[in-house]
Amino acid sequence: MFSLTPIVRNLLILNVVFYIIDAFVINLTPGFALRSVLSPAFMPYQFVTYMFLHGSVGHIFSNMFGLIIFGPLLERVWGAQRFIIFYFVTGIGAGLLFSGIDYYENTQLQGAVQIYTQYPTPDGLVDFMSKHAKGYYQPMLEFLNKFEENPRNEVYIRESVGFVNNYYQQQVSIPMVGASGAIFGILMAFGLLFPNTELFLLFFPFPIKAKYFVAFYGLYELYAGIQNAQSDNVAHFAHIGGMLFAFILLKIWSTDRNKFF
């Protein structure tokens, strides 16, 4: 039996309720998921609301499982007020880092789109796809061959320009949802406060100390974020942001007169 603390229990209930509403009553994603700051759908309040939306049963299960495993002990150590502050600071911080990386990547993409629309050529399209849209190269191979054979064909030029513009709009419109940033913040705090606690995990054949698990997980998220694998549909830099803001907040609190570790 899990011994849930009050804030953890309330967060669990809120996340489940919002998931049920979003999945079965009304679609909350268009207005409350975190949008790119370059999107006309972006609103500042989304830095908070995105944390209570999830894309699937597996998504919410994994996040809530992490919350009820690692959250209660932290809430007992800090108290309810400090725990809820930590939860929202790391969740919002995760959204901020994700948005910063997203802004940089999409402004780079926007510049590439502008350059291509001014000089649309087969080689230019291949270069654009190799840098920004590798997953589309194989499905569009037939079109690329035809365009290369007829580089001045107005129909092919319009279609290629339409593709790069649509691709940019698609990337800017991708929403981000989930409590993962805050959960990774909780995981980071657990690893820092209880570094030698041994964790028994399904995917590890032996117990592993919390400090090593957090370090390995953090390095993996950094690697995956740098690789920028679009196919996995995971906001790796949001996870890193949650861990980073957790580390910063713990350092700030550790210099306070009321030290807790």
Side-chain angles (χ1 to χ4, degrees), residues 107-117 128 132:
T107 51
Q108 296 294 307
L109 176 59
Q110 188 179 47
V113 169
Q114 291 173 348
I115 291 173
Y116 181 78
T117 54
F128 176 89
H132 303 285

Side-chain angles (χ1 to χ4, degrees), residues 2-255:
F2 294 112
S3 179
L4 299 183
T5 46
I7 298 300
V8 169
R9 185 190 308 112
N10 290 338
L11 287 171
L12 176 63
I13 293 171
L14 282 173
N15 276 277
V16 171
V17 167
F18 277 110
Y19 177 76
I20 292 172
I21 293 173
D22 185 42
F24 302 106
V25 181
I26 182 172
N27 187 3
L28 299 174
T29 299
F32 297 101
L34 181 58
R35 300 286 181 169
S36 170
V37 295
L38 296 172
S39 169
F42 167 76
M43 296 296 288
Y45 63 75
Q46 293 168 354
F47 283 111
V48 175
T49 57
Y50 90 95
M51 291 188 282
F52 295 94
L53 301 178
H54 291 84
S56 67
V57 173
H59 190 200
I60 189 172
F61 176 81
S62 62
N63 281 339
M64 294 304 99
F65 184 74
L67 176 64
I68 63 178
I69 290 295
F70 299 105
L73 183 56
L74 296 178
E75 186 177 344
R76 292 189 187 99
V77 171
W78 293 334
Q81 183 178 10
R82 183 160 280 194
F83 180 78
I84 195 66
I85 290 172
F86 179 87
Y87 186 87
F88 279 103
V89 167
T90 54
I92 293 170
L96 288 172
L97 181 63
F98 172 83
S99 294
I101 299 295
D102 177 80
Y103 177 81
Y104 171 78
E105 291 180 344
N106 280 327
T107 51
Q108 296 294 307
L109 176 59
Q110 188 179 47
V113 169
Q114 291 173 348
I115 291 173
Y116 181 78
T117 54
Q118 293 175 359
Y119 307 102
T121 64
D123 289 341
L125 183 58
V126 170
D127 183 63
F128 176 89
M129 295 176 72
S130 66
K131 293 178 179 177
H132 303 285
K134 293 180 181 178
Y136 286 84
Y137 184 83
Q138 198 63 36
M140 291 184 60
L141 187 58
E142 183 178 353
F143 172 82
L144 289 169
N145 290 333
K146 291 180 179 179
F147 190 18
E148 188 173 6
E149 293 171 1
N150 302 277
R152 300 193 180 192
N153 186 300
E154 291 294 330
V155 174
Y156 294 154
I157 291 174
R158 283 197 302 270
E159 287 186 13
S160 67
V161 170
F163 165 76
V164 298
N165 279 287
N166 288 337
Y167 181 76
Y168 169 73
Q169 292 300 326
Q170 180 188 48
Q171 294 305 115
V172 170
S173 300
I174 296 175
M176 201 262 281
V177 297
S180 303
I183 303 305
F184 270 78
I186 288 173
L187 183 62
M188 170 64 90
F190 190 92
L192 291 174
L193 293 178
F194 311 103
N196 294 316
T197 299
E198 291 190 336
L199 305 176
F200 294 85
L201 306 170
L202 293 176
F203 46 87
F204 269 85
F206 48 83
I208 181 172
K209 290 185 177 180
K211 60 184 177 183
Y212 298 131
F213 174 67
V214 171
F216 291 150
Y217 213 162
L219 288 173
Y220 165 75
E221 290 296 328
L222 182 61
Y223 168 79
I226 293 173
Q227 288 296 306
N228 194 24
Q230 298 172 0
S231 59
D232 68 5
N233 200 31
V234 176
H236 296 287
F237 280 110
H239 298 170
I240 296 169
M243 300 180 84
L244 176 63
F245 274 79
F247 179 81
I248 293 171
L249 189 56
L250 287 174
K251 287 299 180 183
I252 293 172
W253 284 350
S254 71
T255 60

